[in-house]
Amino acid sequence: MSQLLQTSIEYLKGVGPKRGELLKKGLNIHTFGDLMTHYPFRYVDKTKFYSISELHPDLPYIQIVGEFVHIETIGSARQKRLSATFKDETGRIQVVWFKGIKFLGSTVRVGIKYVLYGKVNAFNNSLSIVHPELETLVEYKNNIQSTLQAVYTSTEKLNNAGLATKNIVKLQKNLFTQLIGKIPENLSIDIIDQYKLLSREKALIQLHFPKNTEILKRAIFRLKFEELFFVQLELLKLKLINTNKNRGFAFSSIGDFFNHFYENNLAFDLTNAQKRVLKEIRKDMATGRQMNRLLQGDVGSGKTVVGLMSMLMAMDNGFQACLMAPTEILAQQHYASLNEMLEGMPVKISLLTGSVKIKDRRIIHTELESGELHILVGTHALLEDKVKFKNLGLCVIDEQHRFGVAQRAKLWKKNENGVPHILVMTATPIPRTLAMTLYGDLDVSVIDELPPGRKPIETIHWFENKRERLWGVLREQIKLGRQVYIVYPLIDESEKMDYANLQAGFDHVLNKFPRPEYQVSIVHGQMTNENKEMEMQRFVKGETQIMVATTVIEVGVNVPNASLMVIESAERFGLSQLHQLRGRVGRGAEQSYCYLMTGYKLSDDGKLRMKTMTETNDGFQIAEVDLKLRGPGDLSGTQQSGVPVNLKLTNLAKDGQLIEIARNAARDILGKDSNLQLPEHQSILAFAREQQRGKTNWSRIS
């Protein structure tokens, strides 16, 4: 990277030490390069003016031209504000400032033409503009160089220090005056020509100072392409390293463990999707290179069986296996499930979680090291240094988004003679664009078929006025011998409970379903593991007909007899969570139902979520809608892949096509020159190294 771009921001004209410190703390702008890539978040059409008579609160940010007819300071202490009346030929509007009063009071003048830019608010049946940006009409005419003006994120503290959008625009001008002709290109000429891209320098100039909307689109496309290209380059490079350098174990034979299970213990026929995925896994593990595979499958698609049969392949080749889950409840469920499926087979399985007693831990450690223990199921406790295997060959990781790359790497080190194969599983369908960006270093298998006999869950959305009808539906299902979940939301993502809501709901259910005719369980996140387990086991055994719970059951027990899910205040849940909860029922052969109960006031997003849930059971379709509604967020943490995903412009929900284009471009480059040694690829290598500070060391890749 150009030395100039690494210059400390305080040395830029118009900044200095004090403002420099504010930019560092407020916007994470430390260098010239940071300011260069501090992108606008929207643009204002500087040719568009409104008259005051046209204004209303639903308008976006607006520009008006006129003059002040009255300015005064009102109130005192915290109530102090600068109030002004602004007029044009069509009317008048109130303008208010709560900050910078002293400065504005001494500079703003009556009778001078100004351009105001801000958001119109309605208060007490009158319109006002609070804290507008302000410049004289003369300044405006002198400054305008384009029909579009960039608007930058700022903070109140920065605004008060003279670093509002218009000031940042000035700083960008000062910066680019120095940068012209000095911004290094980071793509090859071939890529620029092939995809008809603007040069990096031109794209950056046009992003900050666009001449028109057309060239702005081209600038954004170029810079989005660049973001995605380097993410994909790193992911594909990681994949190459895994393929070529990480010596795995060749599982060449299918033996007694696998065959006995398939012929005697498998209680149902595998779906074609399960068979296809098992073939992919077997092929991977036979190569002698480390497998790194992501297994996606909707709720109830049979991922656990595939994971178990993969572990049996490892055992047939003289290796041990482990299964790591994110919570104790889920680890316990897996442990119980594997024991049940392997009944009668000479397979030794143990469970290791934080609550296992020291005495029992020592036994597990000893049996692991001797090889007596075949499969270890557990939580993060598996990562402890004390946990040593004799010969670990396969790690199965459930709900991979709860574990980062560093944690996965710890498992790699559990075998001194090579790296174990990795199979990561998720019941959270990941939209393809997101999977390509976050998990592009993994091969992906998808189980896109439910076991035969499974009837789609019928989902119904009801408002509160149908509450009595709902109780009638519950009684009918219980009369048929079925069981029911009733789920209440949490206040937030923590374990803090909306106790009032849950307890009131529980009391109401007890009132409608009194003992001894009915038995009701309650489960929530703040119960002890023992009590939770006891209540869940009562439900599993059919001793209780209704389980009132929070989302703790999202990854809870499988109860084939449970045929009805009621989700209270369903509008407070995200789509993916609603889908996960719904997947708790529909495990048996009987028709299952999910009732979404909501209040009458639903946002547009809330309405779309309810509509999507009632129209489809397809988890991947639901995930796509969810991504569009919520955006990627930290989607399970964008750093989980180990790749620095810093997407300032790209929208993963909307830029799917561009992700594919960038991935193809990165694949072509690495196909020709896997180590980026050719002269034409030095600009790419230099930028990749710069981006990777502290990550993959490209200089050591050969």
Side-chain angles (χ1 to χ4, degrees), residues 288-305:
R289 292 189 295 267
Q290 186 199 28
M291 174 178 76
N292 268 291
R293 187 167 285 279
L294 172 67
L295 175 57
Q296 291 192 78
D298 219 334
V299 177
S301 61
K303 293 182 302 299
T304 306
V305 173

Side-chain angles (χ1 to χ4, degrees), residues 80-141:
K80 197 172 182 181
R81 61 196 185 276
L82 188 68
S83 178
T85 304
F86 192 77
K87 76 158 192 174
D88 67 7
E89 57 274 10
T90 69
R92 300 184 174 207
I93 191 167
Q94 283 302 115
V95 179
V96 184
W97 289 274
F98 297 96
K99 303 283 184 182
I101 297 168
K102 193 174 177 182
F103 172 75
L104 287 162
S106 63
T107 54
V108 177
R109 295 281 179 264
V110 171
I112 294 173
K113 289 281 185 185
Y114 286 95
V115 174
L116 259 67
Y117 171 76
K119 183 78 177 73
V120 180
N121 303 295
F123 184 71
N124 287 342
N125 293 321
S126 67
L127 299 180
S128 63
I129 304 175
V130 179
H131 280 286
E133 289 184 13
L134 182 69
E135 60 184 338
T136 66
L137 186 59
V138 174
E139 285 173 332
Y140 169 84
K141 287 176 177 175

Side-chain angles (χ1 to χ4, degrees), residues 515-530:
R515 299 184 179 103
E517 188 180 352
Y518 301 97
Q519 294 296 321
V520 185
S521 303
I522 184 167
V523 176
H524 57 77
Q526 293 197 344
M527 292 167 70
T528 63
N529 285 332
E530 290 80 10

